[in-house]
Amino acid sequence: MLDRPEPAREHLAPPYPTEHAVSYETDEEKVETLKRWWKENGLSVVAGAALGIAGIYGWRLWINHQETTASVASTVFEQLMVEASADQVDAVAKQAQVLDEEFASTPYPALGSLVAAKALYDAGQSAEAIAALQRVIDTAPDPALTTIAAVRQARIQLAEGQLDAAEQTLRGRDNSPAFAGEIAAVRGDIAAARGDISAARAAYQQAIEQGSSLSQLIRLKIDNLPAAG
């Protein structure tokens, strides 16, 4: 029996040589591609990440600063209130100045000036009280605070006989529905001080209709107005 010739070994496919070669070559290409991409873009990626982290950190610092500032301003305002209740006018004015100079980004300067204005007026310092209220009108971030200050300022001006100034203070304030009754009441007082009885009566009636907190007092004022001639 003849022996069959053994197949030539060079024709036998080695176990998985082609597959491994391709896989190894592809992995190498991926690594090289990644290296090239990182070389071209790595700096911008790191910079972007750093900026993102810095932005978050900066935002947190800003929030913490705002909270700390508001907390300190609140403490100063509370001290101002204590001093106002004790009629320590000079101390109140000083604390209001601190709020104006150091905590302008908070609502407390306006609130402090409102309290200071009352303390000053009660102490007979009308001009200083008017100035304190003017600061609120000029700088308060909340329109409601500016309107409150304007109404109070007009009342002081009226009490001081400054009728034109009081009228000017209230000019353009009719677009404040929440304070319409109080504004109308002061307009009525100005008209009565001028001797314009019909205008005073109309303004007082408007104040009552618009819900002034002084409605009972205003009815007494209407009753005390001279009869229409």
Side-chain angles (χ1 to χ4, degrees):
M1 189 173 189
L2 295 176
D3 293 331
R4 293 181 181 179
E6 190 173 323
R9 293 185 180 274
E10 61 267 25
H11 294 294
L12 292 177
Y16 313 113
T18 304
E19 179 180 345
H20 272 258
V22 172
S23 175
Y24 181 77
E25 184 180 353
T26 302
D27 288 343
E28 285 291 317
E29 289 177 352
K30 288 180 180 178
V31 170
E32 289 303 319
T33 300
L34 181 59
K35 286 180 179 179
R36 286 196 301 272
W37 183 90
W38 182 255
K39 184 176 180 180
E40 296 171 0
N41 303 286
L43 181 60
S44 62
V45 170
V46 172
L51 287 174
I53 293 171
I56 294 171
Y57 182 66
W59 172 255
R60 186 66 254 175
L61 282 179
W62 184 83
I63 291 294
N64 289 340
H65 172 72
Q66 292 295 101
E67 291 174 350
T68 301
T69 299
S71 177
V72 176
S74 174
T75 300
V76 175
F77 178 73
E78 289 173 7
Q79 183 61 33
L80 181 150
M81 293 290 288
V82 170
E83 291 161 350
S85 64
D87 296 327
Q88 299 177 12
V89 180
D90 291 341
V92 169
K94 185 176 294 186
Q95 295 286 49
Q97 184 177 359
V98 170
L99 290 172
D100 280 339
E101 293 175 354
E102 299 183 18
F103 302 99
S105 63
T106 74
Y108 289 102
L111 297 173
S113 291
L114 287 174
V115 176
K118 183 180 185 306
L120 290 164
Y121 183 71
D122 290 344
Q125 302 180 41
S126 300
E128 290 81 358
I130 289 173
L133 291 168
Q134 189 62 47
R135 284 197 300 274
V136 180
I137 293 170
D138 293 339
T139 64
D142 187 342
L145 291 176
T146 64
T147 303
I148 290 171
V151 170
R152 293 184 181 180
Q153 187 184 70
R155 284 176 176 158
I156 294 175
Q157 291 166 330
L158 173 62
E160 295 296 305
Q162 303 171 18
L163 303 184
D164 291 341
E167 214 163 41
Q168 178 63 33
T169 297
L170 294 180
R171 190 162 295 163
R173 301 279 171 190
D174 294 317
N175 58 346
S176 303
F179 302 97
E182 313 310 326
I183 293 171
V186 180
R187 291 191 192 282
D189 289 342
I190 295 171
R194 292 189 186 281
D196 190 342
I197 305 306
S198 62
R201 193 184 304 278
Y204 286 149
Q205 191 60 46
Q206 180 184 3
I208 293 172
E209 292 171 356
Q210 293 183 329
S212 171
S213 60
L214 304 172
S215 294
Q216 292 184 344
L217 177 60
I218 293 171
R219 288 190 177 90
L220 290 175
K221 290 182 178 181
I222 291 174
D223 293 340
N224 290 326
L225 287 174

